[in-house]
Amino acid sequence: MSVASDPVGFGVLGCGGIGRWHVRSIRSLPGLRLVAVADLDAEAARRAGRAAGVPDVPAQALLGSPEVEVVSICTPPRTHAQLILDVAASGKHVLVEKPMTLNLSEADRAVSACQERGVLLGVVHQQRARASARVLKELIGSGALGLPLMAAVFHTWLRPVPEKLGWRGASGEGGGVLLDQAIHAVDLLIWFLGPPRWVSGWAGGAQGSEDLAVALIGFDHDVHATLAASATTNRRRDDTAIELAGTRGWFRLEVRDYDHVEIAGLELVRSKGGRAEALRREEIEALVRERGGSWRAGPRSPLWRVLGRIAGVERGRHSFRSIRGFLRRRADRVAQLEHGELEGHLAVLAGMGRAVRGEGPPLVDGREARWSIAVIDGVYRSQAADGQRVNLVPLAGR
């Protein structure tokens, strides 16, 4: 294990878009050191290594390097399960992009293998790192919302033609709306409510693609949640809304363009003279801000407020490839910086470095991430059984 003064050595396996983002993030974080990169596409590895000023090496050399303590797996989802096993067998810690695996049996093997080898398994679910999500988690845990009763998740996006997306357009390779997109919302839902107990659902779409899914998820104490997700809704961006109601309060959490998380609504009551009294809006906003969360106010900078309004909304376009989409995401990022928040992947990687140094667990470890895979796997099994409930059970062992 590294001592606190030593930078943790990372190797990045997979040099596509998200792999390059890991490379940039690792290089920007104190306490982390990028050792090398690898990719089956030799040219992609050369470009990434040259840009970062580190060697590009074969995958086996990356796993065999004594300087590499953590391997970031940034390859297509169909490769994750085997690569986790390979990395664990090499004695390296693992950080893998979502989805951890394509199905529950693969997830169980991956978690068990890392446990048996005594290595950490972290999974990139960066939205748990957002301050606003953490505030709501704290309020739920403290009982401020009373007993949770029900929740609803609504995820929408318009993605390009599947044939142009490679694996992202192939449901069987992790490109369906559940494993590729809605899994983030499922992870937040489980984080808020605890391990799910059963699921019933359906997923499908036109011409065999999975671009629409609905589900009912059961939790302890008769808490129920609904999930509706689609990638063909003609919406302007990747949007997720989570609403949760309890006996003493309610909230609406919104996630935009994958990473900007804000509280869009929050109501709380307190007991006064034996009666329930609603907290004033300014009291609730102060409560959120005191805990580092962001209310839906956008950036404080007048310039970025104007640019955010100019960016406006877009419909029927792939917003990640437009100037207005860029301006909107940048305005959201400015608002996060004003609250002192790290970008999501930076927070995940920094947390993984601390975990390797023995300063706590990864932001989301394999056992936690397994529950999201269990829910999605359960939706598929429920669909095959004409919508019947599928019971979900924890992985055996500690």
Tab-separated table of all heavy atoms in Angstrom, residues 70-121:
chain	number	residue	atom	x	y	z
A	70	VAL	N	-3.415	1.032	-9.672
A	70	VAL	CA	-4.839	1.026	-10.046
A	70	VAL	C	-4.938	1.015	-11.569
A	70	VAL	O	-4.241	1.783	-12.235
A	70	VAL	CB	-5.580	2.259	-9.511
A	70	VAL	CG1	-7.073	2.177	-9.854
A	70	VAL	CG2	-5.382	2.428	-8.021
A	71	VAL	N	-5.801	0.172	-12.089
A	71	VAL	CA	-6.085	0.170	-13.525
A	71	VAL	C	-7.493	0.710	-13.741
A	71	VAL	O	-8.462	0.174	-13.186
A	71	VAL	CB	-5.965	-1.243	-14.129
A	71	VAL	CG1	-6.403	-1.230	-15.599
A	71	VAL	CG2	-4.528	-1.752	-14.007
A	72	SER	N	-7.597	1.792	-14.508
A	72	SER	CA	-8.900	2.329	-14.911
A	72	SER	C	-9.334	1.629	-16.187
A	72	SER	O	-8.664	1.762	-17.222
A	72	SER	CB	-8.813	3.837	-15.158
A	72	SER	OG	-8.827	4.567	-13.970
A	73	ILE	N	-10.435	0.901	-16.124
A	73	ILE	CA	-10.956	0.187	-17.285
A	73	ILE	C	-11.951	1.090	-18.011
A	73	ILE	O	-13.026	1.395	-17.475
A	73	ILE	CB	-11.610	-1.136	-16.872
A	73	ILE	CG1	-10.583	-2.051	-16.203
A	73	ILE	CG2	-12.246	-1.828	-18.070
A	73	ILE	CD1	-11.161	-3.330	-15.637
A	74	CYS	N	-11.596	1.518	-19.203
A	74	CYS	CA	-12.408	2.456	-19.981
A	74	CYS	C	-12.723	1.884	-21.356
A	74	CYS	O	-12.792	2.626	-22.345
A	74	CYS	CB	-11.665	3.789	-20.114
A	74	CYS	SG	-11.215	4.554	-18.548
A	75	THR	N	-12.902	0.595	-21.420
A	75	THR	CA	-13.182	-0.114	-22.666
A	75	THR	C	-14.684	-0.318	-22.826
A	75	THR	O	-15.452	-0.056	-21.891
A	75	THR	CB	-12.461	-1.470	-22.641
A	75	THR	OG1	-12.854	-2.170	-21.452
A	75	THR	CG2	-10.952	-1.289	-22.631
A	76	PRO	N	-15.163	-0.808	-23.974
A	76	PRO	CA	-16.599	-1.073	-24.131
A	76	PRO	C	-17.115	-2.060	-23.081
A	76	PRO	O	-16.375	-2.940	-22.621
A	76	PRO	CB	-16.692	-1.662	-25.542
A	76	PRO	CG	-15.539	-1.051	-26.267
A	76	PRO	CD	-14.435	-0.979	-25.246
A	77	PRO	N	-18.373	-1.926	-22.662
A	77	PRO	CA	-18.913	-2.725	-21.555
A	77	PRO	C	-18.784	-4.234	-21.713
A	77	PRO	O	-18.615	-4.937	-20.711
A	77	PRO	CB	-20.383	-2.308	-21.515
A	77	PRO	CG	-20.391	-0.914	-22.042
A	77	PRO	CD	-19.337	-0.906	-23.122
A	78	ARG	N	-18.863	-4.742	-22.933
A	78	ARG	CA	-18.801	-6.195	-23.108
A	78	ARG	C	-17.467	-6.767	-22.640
A	78	ARG	O	-17.351	-7.967	-22.380
A	78	ARG	CB	-19.033	-6.569	-24.576
A	78	ARG	CG	-17.943	-6.118	-25.521
A	78	ARG	CD	-18.198	-6.544	-26.957
A	78	ARG	NE	-17.133	-6.121	-27.854
A	78	ARG	CZ	-17.043	-4.912	-28.395
A	78	ARG	NH1	-17.979	-4.003	-28.130
A	78	ARG	NH2	-16.038	-4.598	-29.206
A	79	THR	N	-16.433	-5.931	-22.538
A	79	THR	CA	-15.109	-6.401	-22.127
A	79	THR	C	-14.873	-6.269	-20.621
A	79	THR	O	-13.875	-6.776	-20.105
A	79	THR	CB	-14.010	-5.597	-22.849
A	79	THR	OG1	-14.042	-4.227	-22.388
A	79	THR	CG2	-14.196	-5.630	-24.355
A	80	HIS	N	-15.747	-5.577	-19.911
A	80	HIS	CA	-15.484	-5.247	-18.509
A	80	HIS	C	-15.304	-6.473	-17.622
A	80	HIS	O	-14.377	-6.529	-16.804
A	80	HIS	CB	-16.619	-4.384	-17.949
A	80	HIS	CG	-16.627	-2.985	-18.484
A	80	HIS	ND1	-17.549	-2.041	-18.095
A	80	HIS	CD2	-15.824	-2.369	-19.393
A	80	HIS	CE1	-17.321	-0.910	-18.733
A	80	HIS	NE2	-16.288	-1.084	-19.531
A	81	ALA	N	-16.197	-7.443	-17.748
A	81	ALA	CA	-16.180	-8.592	-16.827
A	81	ALA	C	-14.833	-9.312	-16.870
A	81	ALA	O	-14.219	-9.563	-15.824
A	81	ALA	CB	-17.317	-9.550	-17.165
A	82	GLN	N	-14.365	-9.648	-18.063
A	82	GLN	CA	-13.104	-10.377	-18.165
A	82	GLN	C	-11.922	-9.509	-17.733
A	82	GLN	O	-10.995	-9.991	-17.073
A	82	GLN	CB	-12.891	-10.878	-19.589
A	82	GLN	CG	-11.646	-11.755	-19.755
A	82	GLN	CD	-11.683	-12.982	-18.856
A	82	GLN	OE1	-12.653	-13.732	-18.852
A	82	GLN	NE2	-10.621	-13.185	-18.075
A	83	LEU	N	-11.957	-8.227	-18.080
A	83	LEU	CA	-10.844	-7.362	-17.708
A	83	LEU	C	-10.755	-7.181	-16.195
A	83	LEU	O	-9.651	-7.102	-15.643
A	83	LEU	CB	-10.970	-6.010	-18.406
A	83	LEU	CG	-10.665	-6.014	-19.907
A	83	LEU	CD1	-10.924	-4.646	-20.516
A	83	LEU	CD2	-9.219	-6.441	-20.164
A	84	ILE	N	-11.898	-7.111	-15.519
A	84	ILE	CA	-11.859	-7.021	-14.053
A	84	ILE	C	-11.169	-8.251	-13.474
A	84	ILE	O	-10.319	-8.150	-12.572
A	84	ILE	CB	-13.280	-6.870	-13.472
A	84	ILE	CG1	-13.878	-5.514	-13.859
A	84	ILE	CG2	-13.253	-7.007	-11.942
A	84	ILE	CD1	-15.346	-5.374	-13.519
A	85	LEU	N	-11.517	-9.425	-14.002
A	85	LEU	CA	-10.878	-10.656	-13.533
A	85	LEU	C	-9.373	-10.624	-13.808
A	85	LEU	O	-8.565	-11.021	-12.952
A	85	LEU	CB	-11.506	-11.870	-14.219
A	85	LEU	CG	-13.004	-12.096	-14.002
A	85	LEU	CD1	-13.453	-13.366	-14.726
A	85	LEU	CD2	-13.350	-12.186	-12.520
A	86	ASP	N	-8.984	-10.143	-14.988
A	86	ASP	CA	-7.574	-10.097	-15.352
A	86	ASP	C	-6.800	-9.127	-14.456
A	86	ASP	O	-5.689	-9.432	-14.003
A	86	ASP	CB	-7.406	-9.678	-16.817
A	86	ASP	CG	-7.947	-10.716	-17.791
A	86	ASP	OD1	-8.144	-11.875	-17.373
A	86	ASP	OD2	-8.178	-10.355	-18.967
A	87	VAL	N	-7.384	-7.968	-14.227
A	87	VAL	CA	-6.705	-6.972	-13.389
A	87	VAL	C	-6.585	-7.471	-11.956
A	87	VAL	O	-5.534	-7.352	-11.320
A	87	VAL	CB	-7.439	-5.616	-13.445
A	87	VAL	CG1	-6.800	-4.622	-12.475
A	87	VAL	CG2	-7.437	-5.054	-14.857
A	88	ALA	N	-7.668	-8.046	-11.440
A	88	ALA	CA	-7.621	-8.581	-10.078
A	88	ALA	C	-6.566	-9.669	-9.949
A	88	ALA	O	-5.825	-9.725	-8.960
A	88	ALA	CB	-8.992	-9.125	-9.688
A	89	ALA	N	-6.464	-10.526	-10.965
A	89	ALA	CA	-5.477	-11.607	-10.932
A	89	ALA	C	-4.047	-11.065	-10.915
A	89	ALA	O	-3.135	-11.712	-10.396
A	89	ALA	CB	-5.664	-12.528	-12.133
A	90	SER	N	-3.869	-9.855	-11.462
A	90	SER	CA	-2.533	-9.249	-11.465
A	90	SER	C	-2.198	-8.578	-10.145
A	90	SER	O	-1.069	-8.096	-9.961
A	90	SER	CB	-2.429	-8.224	-12.602
A	90	SER	OG	-3.147	-7.039	-12.280
A	91	GLY	N	-3.185	-8.513	-9.246
A	91	GLY	CA	-2.962	-7.886	-7.952
A	91	GLY	C	-3.169	-6.385	-7.941
A	91	GLY	O	-2.892	-5.726	-6.929
A	92	LYS	N	-3.681	-5.820	-9.033
A	92	LYS	CA	-3.933	-4.386	-9.101
A	92	LYS	C	-5.355	-4.079	-8.613
A	92	LYS	O	-6.268	-4.900	-8.733
A	92	LYS	CB	-3.803	-3.864	-10.536
A	92	LYS	CG	-2.560	-4.320	-11.288
A	92	LYS	CD	-1.307	-3.713	-10.723
A	92	LYS	CE	-0.114	-4.054	-11.608
A	92	LYS	NZ	1.172	-3.650	-10.981
A	93	HIS	N	-5.534	-2.872	-8.101
A	93	HIS	CA	-6.877	-2.400	-7.790
A	93	HIS	C	-7.583	-2.012	-9.089
A	93	HIS	O	-6.933	-1.684	-10.090
A	93	HIS	CB	-6.819	-1.200	-6.846
A	93	HIS	CG	-6.105	-1.487	-5.563
A	93	HIS	ND1	-6.597	-2.371	-4.618
A	93	HIS	CD2	-4.924	-1.026	-5.066
A	93	HIS	CE1	-5.762	-2.430	-3.591
A	93	HIS	NE2	-4.740	-1.632	-3.838
A	94	VAL	N	-8.922	-2.038	-9.057
A	94	VAL	CA	-9.711	-1.848	-10.275
A	94	VAL	C	-10.647	-0.656	-10.120
A	94	VAL	O	-11.363	-0.538	-9.116
A	94	VAL	CB	-10.567	-3.091	-10.585
A	94	VAL	CG1	-11.301	-2.913	-11.914
A	94	VAL	CG2	-9.731	-4.359	-10.590
A	95	LEU	N	-10.648	0.224	-11.107
A	95	LEU	CA	-11.683	1.236	-11.249
A	95	LEU	C	-12.273	1.046	-12.634
A	95	LEU	O	-11.554	1.121	-13.635
A	95	LEU	CB	-11.122	2.652	-11.103
A	95	LEU	CG	-12.157	3.775	-11.258
A	95	LEU	CD1	-13.189	3.720	-10.136
A	95	LEU	CD2	-11.478	5.145	-11.291
A	96	VAL	N	-13.575	0.766	-12.711
A	96	VAL	CA	-14.191	0.450	-13.989
A	96	VAL	C	-15.332	1.408	-14.275
A	96	VAL	O	-16.094	1.786	-13.376
A	96	VAL	CB	-14.694	-1.023	-14.012
A	96	VAL	CG1	-15.727	-1.275	-12.936
A	96	VAL	CG2	-15.234	-1.402	-15.389
A	97	GLU	N	-15.426	1.837	-15.515
A	97	GLU	CA	-16.545	2.677	-15.927
A	97	GLU	C	-17.847	1.881	-15.848
A	97	GLU	O	-17.854	0.656	-15.960
A	97	GLU	CB	-16.328	3.173	-17.354
A	97	GLU	CG	-15.541	4.476	-17.443
A	97	GLU	CD	-16.326	5.675	-16.934
A	97	GLU	OE1	-17.576	5.630	-16.938
A	97	GLU	OE2	-15.684	6.663	-16.542
A	98	LYS	N	-18.942	2.594	-15.661
A	98	LYS	CA	-20.243	1.920	-15.689
A	98	LYS	C	-20.546	1.517	-17.128
A	98	LYS	O	-20.044	2.161	-18.074
A	98	LYS	CB	-21.335	2.828	-15.109
A	98	LYS	CG	-21.577	4.134	-15.899
A	98	LYS	CD	-22.432	3.921	-17.121
A	98	LYS	CE	-22.466	5.128	-18.016
A	98	LYS	NZ	-23.014	4.845	-19.335
A	99	PRO	N	-21.373	0.497	-17.351
A	99	PRO	CA	-21.826	-0.462	-16.351
A	99	PRO	C	-20.687	-1.393	-15.951
A	99	PRO	O	-19.833	-1.724	-16.784
A	99	PRO	CB	-22.928	-1.232	-17.081
A	99	PRO	CG	-22.499	-1.214	-18.522
A	99	PRO	CD	-21.859	0.144	-18.716
A	100	MET	N	-20.667	-1.796	-14.692
A	100	MET	CA	-19.598	-2.664	-14.229
A	100	MET	C	-19.505	-3.912	-15.095
A	100	MET	O	-18.410	-4.327	-15.498
A	100	MET	CB	-19.844	-3.043	-12.769
A	100	MET	CG	-18.807	-3.983	-12.175
A	100	MET	SD	-18.977	-4.171	-10.390
A	100	MET	CE	-20.581	-4.976	-10.241
A	101	THR	N	-20.640	-4.520	-15.396
A	101	THR	CA	-20.721	-5.695	-16.265
A	101	THR	C	-22.048	-5.647	-17.013
A	101	THR	O	-22.882	-4.771	-16.758
A	101	THR	CB	-20.643	-7.014	-15.454
A	101	THR	OG1	-21.734	-7.037	-14.518
A	101	THR	CG2	-19.318	-7.135	-14.711
A	102	LEU	N	-22.273	-6.609	-17.890
A	102	LEU	CA	-23.510	-6.643	-18.663
A	102	LEU	C	-24.646	-7.348	-17.938
A	102	LEU	O	-25.812	-7.145	-18.285
A	102	LEU	CB	-23.276	-7.327	-20.010
A	102	LEU	CG	-22.349	-6.628	-20.997
A	102	LEU	CD1	-22.319	-7.381	-22.322
A	102	LEU	CD2	-22.757	-5.176	-21.215
A	103	ASN	N	-24.322	-8.210	-16.975
A	103	ASN	CA	-25.386	-8.949	-16.283
A	103	ASN	C	-24.952	-9.285	-14.864
A	103	ASN	O	-23.802	-9.051	-14.472
A	103	ASN	CB	-25.766	-10.220	-17.061
A	103	ASN	CG	-24.573	-11.127	-17.306
A	103	ASN	OD1	-23.920	-11.567	-16.362
A	103	ASN	ND2	-24.288	-11.413	-18.566
A	104	LEU	N	-25.885	-9.848	-14.109
A	104	LEU	CA	-25.648	-10.078	-12.684
A	104	LEU	C	-24.637	-11.179	-12.429
A	104	LEU	O	-23.817	-11.077	-11.511
A	104	LEU	CB	-26.974	-10.408	-11.995
A	104	LEU	CG	-26.929	-10.526	-10.470
A	104	LEU	CD1	-26.410	-9.231	-9.840
A	104	LEU	CD2	-28.311	-10.875	-9.936
A	105	SER	N	-24.655	-12.245	-13.211
A	105	SER	CA	-23.699	-13.320	-12.966
A	105	SER	C	-22.275	-12.830	-13.180
A	105	SER	O	-21.355	-13.192	-12.419
A	105	SER	CB	-24.008	-14.525	-13.864
A	105	SER	OG	-23.904	-14.178	-15.238
A	106	GLU	N	-22.053	-12.004	-14.206
A	106	GLU	CA	-20.729	-11.418	-14.417
A	106	GLU	C	-20.346	-10.511	-13.251
A	106	GLU	O	-19.192	-10.509	-12.797
A	106	GLU	CB	-20.698	-10.615	-15.714
A	106	GLU	CG	-20.771	-11.451	-16.985
A	106	GLU	CD	-20.720	-10.592	-18.231
A	106	GLU	OE1	-20.877	-9.352	-18.127
A	106	GLU	OE2	-20.508	-11.163	-19.317
A	107	ALA	N	-21.307	-9.729	-12.765
A	107	ALA	CA	-21.031	-8.819	-11.655
A	107	ALA	C	-20.617	-9.597	-10.412
A	107	ALA	O	-19.664	-9.221	-9.710
A	107	ALA	CB	-22.256	-7.955	-11.358
A	108	ASP	N	-21.325	-10.688	-10.130
A	108	ASP	CA	-20.999	-11.482	-8.946
A	108	ASP	C	-19.607	-12.081	-9.048
A	108	ASP	O	-18.848	-12.107	-8.059
A	108	ASP	CB	-22.046	-12.581	-8.751
A	108	ASP	CG	-23.374	-12.031	-8.251
A	108	ASP	OD1	-23.409	-10.852	-7.841
A	108	ASP	OD2	-24.373	-12.781	-8.274
A	109	ARG	N	-19.247	-12.555	-10.236
A	109	ARG	CA	-17.899	-13.110	-10.409
A	109	ARG	C	-16.837	-12.022	-10.224
A	109	ARG	O	-15.788	-12.265	-9.617
A	109	ARG	CB	-17.756	-13.759	-11.786
A	109	ARG	CG	-18.477	-15.093	-11.917
A	109	ARG	CD	-17.989	-15.866	-13.140
A	109	ARG	NE	-18.265	-15.178	-14.385
A	109	ARG	CZ	-19.410	-15.267	-15.054
A	109	ARG	NH1	-20.385	-16.036	-14.586
A	109	ARG	NH2	-19.589	-14.612	-16.193
A	110	ALA	N	-17.112	-10.844	-10.742
A	110	ALA	CA	-16.146	-9.756	-10.645
A	110	ALA	C	-15.937	-9.336	-9.189
A	110	ALA	O	-14.796	-9.178	-8.726
A	110	ALA	CB	-16.620	-8.566	-11.480
A	111	VAL	N	-17.039	-9.147	-8.467
A	111	VAL	CA	-16.933	-8.730	-7.061
A	111	VAL	C	-16.216	-9.797	-6.239
A	111	VAL	O	-15.332	-9.496	-5.427
A	111	VAL	CB	-18.330	-8.437	-6.482
A	111	VAL	CG1	-18.252	-8.179	-4.984
A	111	VAL	CG2	-18.966	-7.236	-7.184
A	112	SER	N	-16.579	-11.053	-6.454
A	112	SER	CA	-15.963	-12.148	-5.705
A	112	SER	C	-14.474	-12.263	-6.007
A	112	SER	O	-13.657	-12.489	-5.107
A	112	SER	CB	-16.671	-13.468	-6.021
A	112	SER	OG	-18.019	-13.432	-5.598
A	113	ALA	N	-14.092	-12.103	-7.277
A	113	ALA	CA	-12.685	-12.218	-7.651
A	113	ALA	C	-11.844	-11.141	-6.982
A	113	ALA	O	-10.742	-11.412	-6.485
A	113	ALA	CB	-12.539	-12.134	-9.166
A	114	CYS	N	-12.346	-9.910	-6.958
A	114	CYS	CA	-11.598	-8.826	-6.319
A	114	CYS	C	-11.502	-9.045	-4.814
A	114	CYS	O	-10.456	-8.789	-4.198
A	114	CYS	CB	-12.254	-7.488	-6.629
A	114	CYS	SG	-12.076	-6.977	-8.360
A	115	GLN	N	-12.583	-9.539	-4.233
A	115	GLN	CA	-12.569	-9.828	-2.796
A	115	GLN	C	-11.547	-10.922	-2.482
A	115	GLN	O	-10.775	-10.805	-1.518
A	115	GLN	CB	-13.960	-10.258	-2.350
A	115	GLN	CG	-14.078	-10.552	-0.866
A	115	GLN	CD	-15.504	-10.896	-0.485
A	115	GLN	OE1	-16.419	-10.115	-0.747
A	115	GLN	NE2	-15.707	-12.049	0.116
A	116	GLU	N	-11.537	-11.968	-3.277
A	116	GLU	CA	-10.610	-13.075	-3.036
A	116	GLU	C	-9.155	-12.657	-3.195
A	116	GLU	O	-8.280	-13.141	-2.471
A	116	GLU	CB	-10.928	-14.229	-3.997
A	116	GLU	CG	-12.248	-14.930	-3.687
A	116	GLU	CD	-12.714	-15.830	-4.819
A	116	GLU	OE1	-11.943	-15.969	-5.813
A	116	GLU	OE2	-13.825	-16.374	-4.730
A	117	ARG	N	-8.901	-11.737	-4.119
A	117	ARG	CA	-7.534	-11.281	-4.350
A	117	ARG	C	-7.134	-10.143	-3.417
A	117	ARG	O	-5.976	-9.707	-3.419
A	117	ARG	CB	-7.365	-10.832	-5.802
A	117	ARG	CG	-7.559	-11.921	-6.825
A	117	ARG	CD	-6.445	-12.927	-6.824
A	117	ARG	NE	-5.131	-12.306	-7.044
A	117	ARG	CZ	-4.034	-12.976	-7.331
A	117	ARG	NH1	-4.075	-14.284	-7.448
A	117	ARG	NH2	-2.884	-12.344	-7.510
A	118	GLY	N	-8.080	-9.639	-2.649
A	118	GLY	CA	-7.768	-8.557	-1.723
A	118	GLY	C	-7.508	-7.226	-2.391
A	118	GLY	O	-6.742	-6.402	-1.871
A	119	VAL	N	-8.160	-6.985	-3.550
A	119	VAL	CA	-7.986	-5.713	-4.245
A	119	VAL	C	-9.301	-4.944	-4.223
A	119	VAL	O	-10.386	-5.517	-4.125
A	119	VAL	CB	-7.509	-5.917	-5.696
A	119	VAL	CG1	-6.166	-6.641	-5.713
A	119	VAL	CG2	-8.539	-6.680	-6.527
A	120	LEU	N	-9.195	-3.635	-4.326
A	120	LEU	CA	-10.377	-2.778	-4.350
A	120	LEU	C	-11.036	-2.820	-5.729
A	120	LEU	O	-10.350	-2.906	-6.751
A	120	LEU	CB	-9.995	-1.341	-4.021
A	120	LEU	CG	-9.375	-1.082	-2.646
A	120	LEU	CD1	-8.858	0.347	-2.567
A	120	LEU	CD2	-10.394	-1.346	-1.542
A	121	LEU	N	-12.360	-2.728	-5.723
A	121	LEU	CA	-13.124	-2.612	-6.969
A	121	LEU	C	-14.011	-1.389	-6.858
A	121	LEU	O	-14.967	-1.369	-6.075
A	121	LEU	CB	-13.974	-3.866	-7.211
A	121	LEU	CG	-14.958	-3.814	-8.385
A	121	LEU	CD1	-14.251	-3.483	-9.693
A	121	LEU	CD2	-15.724	-5.130	-8.509
